[in-house]
Amino acid sequence: MSSYLRDRYAKMDAYTPGEQPQDMEYIKLNTNESPYPPAPSVVHAVTEEQVELLRLYSDPTAKNLKKKLARLYGVESENIFLSNGSDDILNFAFMAYGHRGAVFPDITYGFYPVFAELHGVSYQEIPLNGRFEINKEDYFNLNKLIVIANPNAPTGISMNAVSVEEIIARNPQSVVVVDEAYVDFGGESVYPLIGKYENLLVVRTFSKSRCLAGGRLGYAIASAGIISDLEKIKYATNPYNINRLTMLLGEKTVEAEEYYQEKCQEIIDTRNMTTAGLQSLGFEVLPSDANFVFARHPRISGEDMYLKLKAQGVLVRHFPKERVKDFNRITIGTPKQMQKLLNIMEELLCE
Ligand SMILES: *Cc1c(COP(=O)(O)O)cnc(C)c1O
């Protein structure tokens, strides 16, 4: 760090992304990417002509992609916002709506407190209950920016849409962000409620269920008012923040909806197989509606398990936070990868 850095940034902790080591070939179950490639029509979409067109800026209004997403979800283009990954949108949400403070669970996506600190937003972390669930009543009448990941990460536990709606309805003076990064793996979306609640901001991503993490594409569904706020902030930072190729791949992705529904179902089936396998090895596995499971074993610490798996070429995600340090978050890969993981774990537990 240099001595020139502005004070408030010097004091801030940045987000720690999951490791992407290059020293050997790992079975990568640590950052919730899809184990499957994008649909064939997406894989083949980038032609020489498309690359040549990179000399031109991308469409800052993302008109075509917005139209396709709007049609898919039965909303209007004015209800869709697009950005460079959903992290970008969450960042904008803290910037735009954090002035009265923010509230989110103690165990949730680790980027929320980072965004809060980045923008000088004071925040309160509300503990999940003993079963690692969100108590909806804790979020009633807060009058602050509320941020809920549903399904939650890293627990994988989801809340039903009726409970989320109660939280939205009981905070009419503030924006409620529902981060639905994992909703396609078994959660219930609240986007159909955007016509009813002007304060609802649903944030989604192409990174997990749409096999496009490296493309960096996220979107939001919300009332026209909220979308125009986000557009204003985007035009004040980087209007061309989605590159041409990603925009094209996004359009092809929306057109291949059926392929992705199939892949999501495969991941759900593999998750069920993995959960059963882990349980038979003595793991406690939280009930997941996401493309990962959060599991702990009574005989081995979370960190030990993480290190031993890494030595065997399997990467999972360990969080040092006191309340969850005995757990590991394990991304659901292909059935073959998960079988291999289970075999390695069985050996480790025999040692
Ligand atoms: C992965 C993830 C994101 C970020 O996704 P990008 O679109 O890749 O930026 C947002 N929220 C949660 C809860 C996530 O797990």
Side-chain angles (χ1 to χ4, degrees):
M1 188 166 57
S2 82
S3 57
Y4 306 107
L5 185 62
R6 190 173 173 177
D7 239 16
R8 53 187 277 199
Y9 299 133
K11 279 187 292 202
M12 177 186 88
D13 289 320
Y15 178 68
T16 313
E19 56 191 329
Q20 310 278 0
Q22 311 291 333
D23 58 326
M24 62 179 264
E25 187 116 349
Y26 287 96
I27 296 183
K28 232 183 135 289
L29 307 176
N30 68 328
T31 49
N32 299 342
E33 291 139 326
S34 176
Y36 300 112
S41 56
V42 175
V43 172
H44 297 119
V46 177
T47 60
E48 281 183 26
E49 195 192 349
Q50 295 294 341
V51 178
E52 281 175 14
L53 282 172
L54 285 177
R55 70 189 176 78
L56 301 174
Y57 281 113
S58 53
D59 172 14
T61 69
K63 186 158 142 273
N64 294 334
L65 181 50
K66 276 192 183 178
K67 215 186 267 178
K68 286 183 200 291
L69 276 170
R71 196 176 315 136
L72 180 63
Y73 293 112
V75 298
E76 302 297 324
S77 286
E78 63 178 21
N79 301 119
I80 305 275
F81 177 75
L82 283 147
S83 212
N84 190 316
S86 57
D87 287 337
D88 218 23
I89 304 176
L90 295 165
N91 183 36
F92 289 168
F94 276 87
M95 216 190 279
Y97 305 117
H99 44 288
R100 283 199 295 263
V103 185
F104 40 83
D106 62 339
I107 307 297
T108 191
Y109 188 36
F111 225 138
Y112 303 153
V114 176
F115 290 132
E117 281 178 34
L118 179 65
H119 301 299
V121 168
S122 64
Y123 62 94
Q124 182 194 352
E125 295 177 308
I126 299 184
L128 298 176
N129 71 19
R131 291 187 303 277
F132 295 98
E133 299 159 341
I134 288 170
N135 270 341
K136 62 181 180 192
E137 293 84 1
D138 295 343
Y139 294 82
F140 289 172
N141 310 314
L142 295 181
N143 220 6
K144 291 177 178 180
L145 173 65
I146 293 171
V147 187
I148 286 172
N150 192 39
N152 196 10
T155 63
I157 294 175
S158 66
M159 213 191 318
N160 62 43
V162 174
S163 300
V164 182
E165 177 169 5
E166 281 184 76
I167 294 174
I168 301 161
R170 290 183 190 242
N171 287 282
Q173 307 301 325
S174 63
V175 169
V176 177
V177 174
V178 184
D179 180 349
E180 295 189 340
Y182 300 106
V183 76
D184 296 307
F185 303 103
E188 263 189 295
S189 180
V190 289
Y191 84 79
L193 299 175
I194 59 153
K196 197 167 164 190
Y197 300 100
E198 278 201 13
N199 61 328
L200 168 61
L201 171 53
V202 177
V203 179
R204 299 246 190 130
T205 178
F206 282 67
S207 294
K208 303 342 188 319
S209 63
R210 265 50 185 178
C211 317
L212 215 59
R216 310 306 303 130
L217 188 58
Y219 62 106
I221 312 178
S223 61
I226 285 196
I227 297 298
S228 66
D229 299 341
L230 296 173
E231 293 288 356
K232 185 169 191 177
I233 291 187
K234 169 178 139 161
Y235 275 78
T237 50
N238 182 2
Y240 306 109
N241 69 352
I242 304 169
N243 76 72
R244 262 179 180 275
L245 297 181
T246 291
M247 201 102 79
L248 171 73
L249 300 183
E251 288 171 35
K252 296 290 178 189
T253 298
V254 177
E255 288 167 6
E257 177 66 11
E258 221 171 293
Y259 169 91
Y260 294 100
Q261 294 291 345
E262 251 171 55
K263 292 300 170 219
C264 287
Q265 190 53 52
E266 284 177 38
I267 288 170
I268 291 169
D269 295 343
T270 310
R271 179 183 71 212
N272 295 340
M273 177 276 278
T274 306
T275 301
L278 288 170
Q279 284 169 336
S280 72
L281 291 174
F283 279 90
E284 176 194 354
V285 186
L286 299 189
S288 172
D289 279 315
N291 68 337
F292 56 84
V293 291
F294 205 44
R296 67 178 157 191
H297 198 279
R299 288 208 325 268
I300 179 165
S301 79
E303 189 178 15
D304 262 13
M305 175 60 83
Y306 156 76
L307 289 171
K308 286 182 171 169
L309 286 173
K310 187 170 176 183
Q312 300 283 324
V314 181
L315 282 183
V316 298
R317 186 92 197 253
H318 178 253
F319 298 92
K321 203 163 189 168
E322 186 59 30
R323 230 188 134 182
V324 292
K325 68 179 181 5
D326 290 333
F327 286 83
N328 276 294
R329 192 193 67 192
I330 306 165
T331 303
I332 302 302
T334 62
K336 211 169 131 192
Q337 289 176 320
M338 302 321 279
Q339 196 50 60
K340 177 128 194 239
L341 168 87
L342 291 170
N343 294 345
I344 292 173
M345 278 182 164
E346 186 167 11
E347 278 172 32
L348 291 179
L349 289 164
C350 284
E351 273 172 9

